[in-house]
Amino acid sequence: FVRMENHMKIRDILGQGKPTLSFEVFPPKTVENYESVEKAAREIAGLRPAFMSVTYGAGGGTSRYTVDIADTLNNQYQVPTLAHLTCVSSTREHVCHVLEELKERKIENVLALRGDIPKDGAVAKDYRYASQLIYEIRQKGDFCIGAACYPEGHVESANKTEDITHLKEKVEAGCDFAE
């Protein structure tokens, strides 16, 4: 796996004007399954995708492995990596800690998401919307920030106009691309 462009920002990859192929990795729910997920990610990295994204399980489920897997893909297998980060269940302190970890490991692409509301309805008080997380990330470093968009409209939006308004808020907060 010799690829020098592993430290490319997703906005630059997407801006090349050619089709891209990316894969998404779901971290394991338990430490016992980590090795099998890492092996599968390594095999996918061998296909040389434009980038790979690593999801983030809110509430601590799989989130603790997101940075580790993104680090392995980005720095060992030389594949640009997009680390997901959700905020609805996170404190500002936790988000800042994750962002520092990403910086230390030279992971420069973050997909900023609100995340699903937990079934018990318990949410942290620091963030309510992805736009707030995007703004926070923009203040913390030179990250390339992705945001979610919903061509059919988000299920919680009253209509597409409201949904587009929320996308505009994400862009104004500093996102570089939407997917």
Side-chain angles (χ1 to χ4, degrees):
F1 297 109
V2 177
R3 259 181 98 180
M4 300 312 290
E5 68 270 11
N6 70 308
H7 293 292
M8 285 188 75
K9 293 196 166 139
I10 303 298
R11 68 173 171 248
D12 298 330
I13 294 169
L14 297 174
Q16 292 175 351
K18 59 184 181 181
T20 59
L21 176 66
S22 66
F23 291 95
E24 189 167 82
V25 176
F26 295 85
K29 294 190 185 297
T30 64
V31 70
E32 294 81 23
N33 294 330
Y34 187 90
E35 195 173 308
S36 65
V37 170
E38 197 276 333
K39 180 180 182 284
R42 179 178 65 244
E43 290 174 6
I44 294 168
L47 298 173
R48 301 192 180 272
F51 65 94
M52 291 176 71
S53 66
V54 185
T55 65
Y56 189 87
T62 62
S63 61
R64 64 183 173 181
Y65 301 119
T66 299
V67 175
D68 291 336
I69 292 172
D71 179 32
T72 299
L73 291 169
N74 194 63
N75 296 308
Q76 186 175 343
Y77 300 130
Q78 306 298 304
V79 175
T81 306
L82 176 65
H84 294 207
L85 180 59
T86 64
C87 65
V88 74
S89 297
S90 298
T91 63
R92 182 164 276 109
E93 178 182 21
H94 176 74
V95 165
C96 290
H97 173 75
V98 171
L99 293 172
E100 284 303 315
E101 263 196 288
L102 292 172
K103 273 194 239 180
E104 287 172 16
R105 298 184 193 206
K106 297 180 176 33
I107 299 164
E108 55 190 356
N109 300 295
V110 179
L111 183 62
L113 304 161
R114 181 198 73 181
D116 296 330
I117 304 292
K119 290 179 183 169
D120 65 5
V123 297
K125 300 194 185 317
D126 291 335
Y127 305 98
R128 187 167 175 195
Y129 303 108
S131 58
Q132 295 168 314
L133 176 60
I134 291 165
Y135 181 81
E136 183 89 23
I137 296 168
R138 182 60 58 217
Q139 303 309 305
K140 298 293 181 192
D142 186 28
F143 290 101
C144 175
I145 306 168
C149 65
Y150 305 90
E152 300 300 320
H154 191 280
V155 296
E156 294 177 19
S157 289
N159 54 52
K160 288 186 182 182
T161 301
E162 179 183 290
D163 195 59
I164 292 294
T165 299
H166 292 306
L167 179 58
K168 183 177 181 280
E169 291 166 357
K170 293 174 189 179
V171 171
E172 290 171 349
C175 81
D176 294 294
F177 67 96
E179 64 172 30

